[in-house]
Amino acid sequence: MIKSITKVLTVLALILSFSATKAQNLEYPFCPKHTVADTFFNKYIVTENYRWLENVRSDSAVKWIEAENKLSRKFLSKASAKYNCKSLLDKFSYVRSKKAVKKGKYFYRKVIRNSMASASLYIGEKYNEVDQILIDPNYNNKGDKVSITSYHPSKDSKLLAYTINRNGTDWREIKVVSLPSGKKLSDHIKGVKFSSTEWKGDGFYYKKYPNKGEFYSSIGEEIYYHKLGDPQDKDKLIFKRKDPSVHFGFMTSSNERFFFLYEETKTHCNYFFIDFNSDQPYLRPLLMKQKNFIHILDSQNGKIIAKITKGSNGGSIVEIDPYNPYQWREIVPAIKNGVLLRCIPKADRLITIFQRNQTPLLKIFKYSGEQLYSLELPQSSSVNGFYGEKGEEDITFTLQELTKPAITFHFNTRTFERKYGDPVNVTFAFKNYETKSINYTVNDSIKVPLTLVYKKGLKLDGNNPCMLCAYGGFGRIFKPKFDPGIVYFIEKGGVFAYANVRGGGDLGKKWTLAGRRLNKQNAIDDFNAAAEFLIKEKYTSSEKLAAKGSSHGGLLVAAAAIQRPDLYKAVVPVVGVMDMLRFENFTVGNFHTDEFGSVQNSLDFVNLKSYSPLHNIKEDVNYPSMLVMTSENDDRVPPFHSYKFVARLQNRKAQTNPILLRVEQDAGHNGAMNKNGHLRKKADMYGFILKILNQ
């Protein structure tokens, strides 16, 4: 690729000065244009004017971002106040329950002491007595906002390794405390990213990246073993490759007999293992050049238990002999028209969660393959839990829906007796809401699942505010979680809709591939078809329809609105990927060329350019009102994707609908670091949507 740079604006005005561009009495901050031209394959010339915003810490970029935030705060605070967003969201988010997770010997739960604090971790020996504080991340942080992102007890539950992040970034630190006292050990591991913490003996394995600067491409990962008490520079290197683009994953079995490692190249996956019971424990090949991903779950009686998709659309469970690895024994077969969500190996049985027709199915099998139990759970719900020690019979799981918070059940894996846990108190009448899972049709043949939630007695007259959401990438399966924002929107007369478009994993591997790479346009078409369906069936109208998506979903809704601006009144892309021609140059973009393709491939390039939101904005189109939301420290989808998109939209004479940029400070891909920040973010979003839809 050949680059040439031409400055078309040489006068550097103050960024805080305002341009003549106006939209509904909004005056946008002045944003100078510096044209950059890239030539691809000696044929395609692509220009953009706002690449300078990729230097997010430059004085000019900082001033422009501050001015954009000032403008959006003024607009959003008025809208939020008008619709009483924050106080009602706070009310509906109040849920009193005692949800605890069993890991090893102890129960754990996270507790938020106040709306400005990060959650602390508590510990207890009984489910109803998790009241001893173990880790509080809110002190001695040198001004950083710190949160606990994961925690892992050792096999004997005498120690706990936990990871923290600072100010929302994907970089992690690992620390260790004694159990149950919470006494801090000296161990402090830095430079960790996208890593589990896998115990073995008196130490643990972790994954480290070189830190070469903000938003630098995440390449060159290495796997280390840390022995407790040693400084980090003494840690043992376990695995690396000369090719820095190769990605790794690893785990230890629950009995610590095995260490498993896989490497993912651009064409296949290789699997390795160490058997610590062998005379010479060393890293040896297990399965090489596999085209289908193998998810190793644990070991049982010296054999490997794994989830696979080879030979099935929805996934199955097999047993693999590590010393005869190409002969697999199927334990749990795939189910017709369903997908396998999870499998939790226990001492003498497997707990599995399937999903079919948006309905979770709990099934329990012996290792011989005999099915012992089956339970169909409510449609459009999600189930989680089943943790605890491997031989434990009495365990807990939770069940939740979009408008119902997690309810705990106590469950015996032998008798299958199921009892409710403590009651859950809420501040709204969830019985007044109706949830419906249906299908709509795309191209006369493709049936796409759609989940709808609204107040009972809804009139289908086309006048209802509606928020359409989706994710649509990476094979991700929609697992409904309680969201007080949806409760708020429904209480305001709204309809919530979630489309399981192609590219997600809701209908299995084929559904995922149908929306991946060169098929990405299918996901966008499915989303726009959902909008057309909602309008046709009079759930809403184009004047009452909002679109919202996060991360890959942010890309999806932005691309959908750019292609079909006639369908939407308001659009909210959150931490979305907007520049598809440069995404792979930064942070985790190189991980995702399998999902999107690469500009190094001519077919991929043409396809990426065809739907890239930034590159398909037309000069003469007044696009729907947009609130583009991002975070300043997002090192998964760098915020300049949103900055460049907003600058391009705002600086066109045809744009009279408002385009706002909201940048969360001291935060990363998942947004604000405390409850107050999350409430404020949701209040701004719903205030914006209701103001625009009610105009």
Side-chain angles (χ1 to χ4, degrees):
M1 184 174 68
I2 303 171
K3 296 183 179 180
S4 62
I5 302 177
T6 306
K7 290 187 177 180
V8 296
L9 185 66
T10 57
V11 180
L12 291 178
L14 289 173
I15 300 301
L16 288 175
S17 66
F18 293 98
S19 71
T21 307
K22 296 185 178 182
Q24 295 186 359
N25 299 319
L26 293 177
E27 294 189 10
Y28 299 126
F30 175 72
C31 192
K33 297 180 180 179
H34 300 286
T35 301
V36 179
D38 296 333
T39 302
F40 296 84
F41 305 104
N42 297 315
K43 178 179 179 181
Y44 303 98
I45 299 175
V46 180
T47 62
E48 63 166 292
N49 294 323
Y50 303 104
R51 188 172 297 176
W52 64 271
L53 286 170
E54 291 180 2
N55 186 8
V56 299
R57 307 302 179 186
S58 68
D59 290 343
S60 54
V62 168
K63 289 178 181 178
W64 180 81
I65 295 163
E66 289 175 348
E68 288 284 348
N69 257 348
K70 182 178 180 181
L71 178 68
S72 63
R73 276 196 300 268
K74 183 177 179 181
F75 185 101
L76 298 172
S77 62
K78 288 182 179 179
S80 176
K82 180 178 180 179
Y83 294 99
N84 199 19
C85 294
K86 190 172 181 181
S87 61
L88 285 176
L89 283 164
D90 192 22
K91 173 186 174 182
F92 297 143
S93 66
Y94 175 81
V95 176
R96 179 179 290 176
S97 66
K98 294 182 178 180
K99 185 174 66 174
V101 175
K102 183 80 178 294
K103 289 191 176 186
K105 178 181 177 181
Y106 298 105
F107 289 93
Y108 301 86
R109 66 186 176 107
K110 287 187 175 182
V111 178
I112 300 173
R113 296 200 322 275
N114 62 69
S115 62
M116 298 300 291
S118 296
S120 299
L121 185 65
Y122 283 67
I123 189 173
E125 293 189 5
K126 297 181 180 179
Y127 178 81
N128 290 319
E129 297 179 6
V130 187
D131 49 15
Q132 176 188 330
I133 189 167
L134 184 69
I135 302 164
D136 188 337
N138 295 289
Y139 297 102
N140 302 319
N141 294 322
K142 299 179 181 179
D144 291 332
K145 293 181 179 179
V146 173
S147 66
I148 301 169
T149 54
S150 64
Y151 53 94
H152 310 272
S154 59
K155 184 173 180 289
D156 59 8
S157 287
K158 291 183 178 180
L159 298 166
L160 182 102
Y162 66 98
T163 62
I164 62 171
N165 82 345
R166 296 180 184 270
N167 303 317
T169 75
D170 282 330
W171 290 102
R172 301 289 187 261
E173 301 169 32
I174 304 175
K175 298 185 178 183
V176 183
V177 295
S178 297
L179 296 179
S181 68
K183 180 182 178 182
K184 295 180 181 178
L185 277 64
S186 61
D187 305 85
H188 188 180
I189 308 301
K190 298 182 179 181
V192 179
K193 204 175 190 184
F194 310 124
S195 176
S196 60
T197 306
E198 299 288 336
W199 285 94
K200 168 58 183 170
D202 57 354
F204 52 81
Y205 297 93
Y206 66 93
K207 185 164 61 175
K208 181 182 176 183
Y209 282 83
N211 190 341
K212 297 185 178 180
E214 190 173 33
F215 309 132
Y216 187 85
S217 186
S218 295
I219 58 176
E221 55 196 85
E222 301 170 335
I223 296 176
Y224 285 87
Y225 178 78
H226 172 74
K227 184 177 180 181
L228 292 175
D230 284 351
Q232 187 175 0
D233 60 10
K234 297 291 186 181
D235 289 352
K236 181 181 178 182
L237 177 65
I238 301 298
F239 199 78
K240 67 179 294 185
R241 287 295 196 194
K242 290 182 179 180
D243 180 356
S245 67
V246 176
H247 306 304
F248 310 132
F250 60 93
M251 66 167 290
T252 53
S253 58
S254 58
N255 60 6
E256 296 189 1
R257 172 179 171 176
F258 292 104
F259 172 80
F260 301 110
L261 181 148
Y262 76 87
E263 61 173 339
E264 182 179 357
T265 74
K266 293 181 179 180
T267 59
H268 60 268
C269 287
N270 296 319
Y271 295 83
F272 306 86
F273 76 104
I274 302 174
D275 182 351
F276 293 105
N277 283 3
S278 65
D279 293 336
Q280 294 181 320
Y282 64 91
L283 194 66
R284 65 181 76 191
L286 177 65
L287 293 161
M288 308 301 287
K289 295 186 177 181
Q290 298 294 302
K291 298 295 185 182
N292 295 284
F293 184 72
I294 300 168
H295 183 195
I296 296 175
L297 303 169
D298 204 352
S299 68
Q300 179 74 7
N301 297 327
K303 305 293 177 60
I304 297 167
I305 308 300
K307 174 186 173 184
I308 65 168
T309 56
K310 183 178 180 180
S312 71
N313 182 53
S316 60
I317 303 297
V318 298
E319 177 188 86
I320 302 171
D321 183 343
Y323 295 100
N324 189 18
Y326 291 93
Q327 297 297 317
W328 301 355
R329 180 177 71 86
E330 185 175 77
I331 303 174
V332 179
I335 66 170
K336 187 177 180 180
N337 299 322
V339 293
L340 176 59
L341 302 182
R342 292 180 63 211
C343 176
I344 305 97
K346 292 296 182 179
D348 61 351
R349 58 199 62 204
L350 297 163
I351 300 172
T352 62
I353 309 296
F354 289 87
Q355 180 173 289
R356 183 167 54 199
N357 297 327
Q358 308 306 111
T359 302
L361 304 170
L362 168 61
K363 292 179 177 289
I364 299 179
F365 296 84
K366 286 184 177 181
Y367 282 97
S368 65
E370 178 187 351
Q371 181 173 308
L372 300 172
Y373 179 75
S374 182
L375 173 68
E376 183 174 300
L377 297 162
Q379 193 174 52
S380 298
S381 66
S382 63
V383 61
N384 208 344
F386 306 102
Y387 301 115
E389 295 180 288
K390 195 169 180 179
E392 200 167 4
E393 295 180 16
D394 293 307
I395 57 178
T396 62
F397 70 88
T398 60
L399 188 70
Q400 62 181 316
E401 301 176 35
L402 292 169
T403 57
K404 295 178 184 177
I407 299 172
T408 297
F409 291 87
H410 298 278
F411 182 69
N412 186 281
T413 59
R414 287 191 175 276
T415 65
F416 312 122
E417 183 181 9
R418 178 166 45 101
K419 297 179 180 178
Y420 280 106
D422 293 333
V424 177
N425 298 318
V426 297
T427 57
F428 54 89
F430 62 84
K431 292 183 179 180
N432 293 337
Y433 309 144
E434 183 172 343
T435 299
K436 183 162 62 173
S437 293
I438 58 178
N439 294 312
Y440 64 95
T441 304
V442 180
N443 297 331
D444 298 326
S445 60
I446 306 297
K447 294 187 180 298
V448 182
L450 180 71
T451 300
L452 297 166
V453 191
Y454 46 82
K455 264 194 174 181
K456 292 179 179 178
L458 179 79
K459 293 182 179 180
L460 299 182
D461 58 7
N463 292 318
N464 305 301
C466 180
M467 184 169 70
L468 174 62
C469 300
Y471 186 80
F474 300 100
R476 179 171 163 182
I477 296 173
F478 176 49
K479 299 174 184 177
K481 291 178 59 178
F482 170 66
D483 185 346
I486 295 175
V487 174
Y488 169 83
F489 191 65
I490 293 173
E491 286 294 325
K492 290 293 183 180
V495 176
F496 174 82
Y498 192 96
N500 298 115
V501 302
R502 284 174 285 181
D506 302 84
L507 298 182
K509 182 170 61 175
K510 293 179 181 178
W511 194 253
T512 297
L513 296 177
R516 178 173 288 179
R517 203 162 185 166
L518 295 177
N519 297 321
K520 186 59 66 179
Q521 184 61 44
N522 287 339
I524 302 167
D525 290 344
D526 288 356
F527 189 82
N528 284 333
E532 291 176 327
F533 172 84
L534 292 167
I535 294 167
K536 179 183 177 182
E537 298 298 318
K538 296 189 180 300
Y539 284 97
T540 190
S541 67
S542 60
E543 289 297 304
K544 292 287 186 178
L545 180 57
K548 182 258 179 180
S550 298
S551 196
H552 185 282
L555 158 67
L556 182 68
V557 302
I562 293 299
Q563 293 182 19
R564 291 292 308 276
D566 57 303
L567 291 176
Y568 308 99
K569 184 70 171 179
V571 181
V572 184
V574 183
V575 295
V577 190
M578 305 301 185
D579 183 349
M580 298 310 299
L581 301 187
R582 288 177 61 76
F583 81 94
E584 63 187 287
N585 296 340
F586 306 100
T587 62
V588 299
N590 68 97
F591 289 8
H592 301 321
T593 54
D594 59 338
E595 178 71 25
F596 299 117
S598 169
V599 294
Q600 305 301 318
N601 177 297
S602 60
L603 286 177
D604 286 337
F605 164 76
V606 172
N607 186 58
L608 288 163
K609 185 176 180 295
S610 72
Y611 69 82
S612 176
L614 178 67
H615 297 95
N616 285 280
I617 297 170
K618 294 180 172 61
E619 282 294 324
D620 58 351
V621 175
N622 179 28
Y623 292 100
S625 301
M626 293 196 196
L627 171 61
V628 181
M629 309 178 79
T630 188
S631 300
E632 68 170 352
N633 296 332
D634 186 351
D635 49 5
R636 200 171 308 176
V637 179
F640 52 71
H641 280 275
S642 296
Y643 300 165
K644 296 195 295 181
F645 184 62
V646 165
R648 177 77 179 94
L649 285 168
Q650 287 180 346
N651 288 279
R652 297 172 307 109
K653 292 181 180 180
Q655 190 65 45
T656 57
N657 292 326
I659 304 294
L660 298 176
L661 174 67
R662 184 190 188 278
V663 184
E664 189 76 42
Q665 307 297 309
D666 299 323
H669 193 66
N670 294 317
M673 299 280 285
N674 54 44
K675 180 183 177 181
N676 185 63
H678 282 292
L679 280 175
R680 188 177 64 249
K681 175 184 174 181
K682 281 185 177 289
D684 285 350
M685 183 185 76
Y686 283 105
F688 173 83
I689 289 173
L690 289 174
K691 177 177 174 61
I692 298 300
L693 298 189
N694 289 325
Q695 287 178 346

